Amino acid sequence: VKNPEGNLSVIFEGLSRAVVETVYEGDGYLKASVISKSILTSSSPSEKAQALMHQILVTVDSLREINPGFSEDARRAAESIQNPSTFADFVASAFLMEYHNKQSILEALAPFTRLERLLVRLAEESEILTTEFHIHKKVRAKIDEHQKDYFLREQIKAIQQELGEDADEIEEYAERISS
């Protein structure tokens, strides 16, 4: 898929997890020898996995409060996934913003390890987003305050011009308005 910036994005769906043994060039492109890894999991998640999955959803909810760009549909889809491995991969893909954080989830083979890493990465990104949100809020408040001050000064100038009053009276009005 070619995106508006002109970059090419390729979307893959993995059939299994694998570890690269060797990489070599052949026929003008790179090839690799891989070892397929299979993880046997039970049909239902353990209590620990369920607890982690629940905590991850709680963290996703807090992220969604800060960043409304995260979809409610994606949140509901994540909630419906019962397999810890699929859940971790889906949530990482849908809610982690940093590429290296997504990659660290995919690199872990064991589903429980992926869930633990996912929770840590979501918490880290949540802290960053919360800090950015508070900084933005403070900056917005300062800008609003400066705009209000500017608007009031301009009103005073307009009143002065209309009434033809002297500067001392205008300053007195300005002080009254400011307080």
Side-chain angles (χ1 to χ4, degrees):
V1 177
K2 197 164 197 163
N3 62 25
E5 293 85 33
N7 297 327
L8 184 63
S9 294
V10 180
I11 301 171
F12 292 96
E13 179 180 355
L15 301 175
S16 69
R17 293 191 177 270
V19 175
V20 175
E21 229 181 26
T22 59
V23 177
Y24 55 94
E25 189 171 341
D27 299 327
Y29 55 90
L30 293 177
K31 293 182 178 184
S33 295
V34 297
I35 298 174
S36 180
K37 298 286 184 174
S38 297
I39 305 283
L40 296 177
T41 59
S42 65
S43 58
S44 62
S46 69
E47 285 182 22
K48 286 183 179 181
Q50 284 179 338
L52 275 172
M53 291 166 70
H54 174 74
Q55 190 57 47
I56 288 168
L57 289 174
V58 168
T59 305
V60 164
D61 289 339
S62 70
L63 276 170
R64 288 189 62 249
E65 288 176 16
I66 300 166
N67 185 352
F70 290 138
S71 158
E72 172 62 25
D73 292 339
R75 190 329 186 156
R76 278 196 295 269
E79 189 173 28
S80 71
I81 299 171
Q82 296 302 308
N83 180 301
S85 180
T86 306
F87 175 86
D89 294 344
F90 178 81
V91 171
S93 145
F95 297 104
L96 286 177
M97 295 180 299
E98 297 291 330
Y99 167 77
H100 64 274
N101 285 342
K102 291 179 183 187
Q103 184 65 34
S104 77
I105 304 306
L106 291 175
E107 287 174 357
L109 293 175
F112 192 78
T113 303
R114 290 209 307 277
L115 289 172
E116 289 177 321
R117 282 187 189 177
L118 178 59
L119 185 57
V120 169
R121 299 304 184 271
L122 283 170
E124 290 169 351
E125 288 192 9
S126 178
E127 285 182 34
I128 292 169
L129 278 175
T130 301
T131 303
E132 287 175 354
F133 176 76
H134 290 302
I135 290 169
H136 177 74
K137 207 166 135 179
K138 286 178 184 178
V139 168
R140 184 82 242 155
K142 285 283 188 192
I143 290 171
D144 290 347
E145 183 181 319
H146 289 301
Q147 285 177 340
K148 178 182 170 185
D149 290 346
Y150 175 77
F151 180 74
L152 290 174
R153 277 191 231 103
E154 290 300 313
Q155 278 186 321
I156 291 169
K157 286 179 188 177
I159 292 170
Q160 179 184 11
Q161 289 173 349
E162 285 292 319
L163 298 176
E165 296 181 356
D166 64 20
D168 291 333
E169 287 182 77
I170 297 295
E171 285 183 29
E172 185 179 314
Y173 287 132
E175 287 178 20
R176 287 184 190 169
I177 290 172
S178 295
S179 58

